[in-house]
Amino acid sequence: QVQLVESGGGLVQAGGSLRLSCVASGRTFRSYAMGWFRQAPGKEREFVAAISWIGIGTYYADSVKGRFTISRDNAKNTVYLQMNSLKPEDTAAYYCAAARTTAPTTTEYSYWGQGTQGTVAS
């Protein structure tokens, strides 16, 4: 069982940065690949980034590639999403998720956090 809690969202101007954190409970964190997803009002939840169990492999959506960076610190049971050069279209609720395999789709993820809101002003 894994429980996830996101933090770090907020309001930022276009071109600015936000650093999201997701803290996982339990001692099985190292067994999971971690992902970040986002959902804007009226839109489907979409994949943002994922990182493998150990943290060597990463995967990004084309829309955020080069701007966002996912990382993890297994000693702290935490995964991060550094978001730079933010655009208004990045405005969404951001969700942390855990999966047994690294994947860019929602179906592979067994556990989800409640989300943290990131808003980018134009």
Side-chain angles (χ1 to χ4, degrees):
Q1 299 288 348
V2 177
Q3 291 185 329
L4 308 172
V5 180
E6 304 96 333
S7 64
L11 175 65
V12 66
Q13 298 296 312
S17 300
L18 286 173
R19 183 176 175 83
L20 307 183
S21 298
C22 173
V23 180
S25 65
R27 62 178 183 177
T28 61
F29 178 74
R30 294 174 180 82
S31 298
Y32 291 87
M34 302 297 297
W36 285 97
F37 294 77
R38 66 186 182 185
Q39 186 169 23
K43 296 184 178 180
E44 296 292 322
R45 187 169 298 186
E46 65 176 352
F47 170 78
V48 176
I51 188 166
S52 64
W53 299 351
I54 299 176
I56 297 175
T58 57
Y59 189 91
Y60 297 93
D62 289 340
S63 60
V64 306
K65 193 174 300 181
R67 299 188 297 121
F68 292 9
T69 302
I70 187 171
S71 61
R72 68 190 296 167
D73 185 341
N74 288 342
K76 296 182 178 180
N77 291 343
T78 303
V79 62
Y80 305 94
L81 184 68
Q82 178 67 46
M83 306 190 294
N84 298 326
S85 301
L86 286 165
K87 306 173 182 179
E89 51 263 45
D90 293 319
T91 295
Y94 285 77
Y95 298 88
C96 177
R100 285 296 188 180
T101 60
T102 308
T105 57
T106 60
T107 56
E108 299 296 329
Y109 292 82
S110 301
Y111 304 98
W112 296 83
Q114 293 300 306
T116 184
Q117 179 69 33
T119 302
V120 184
S122 61

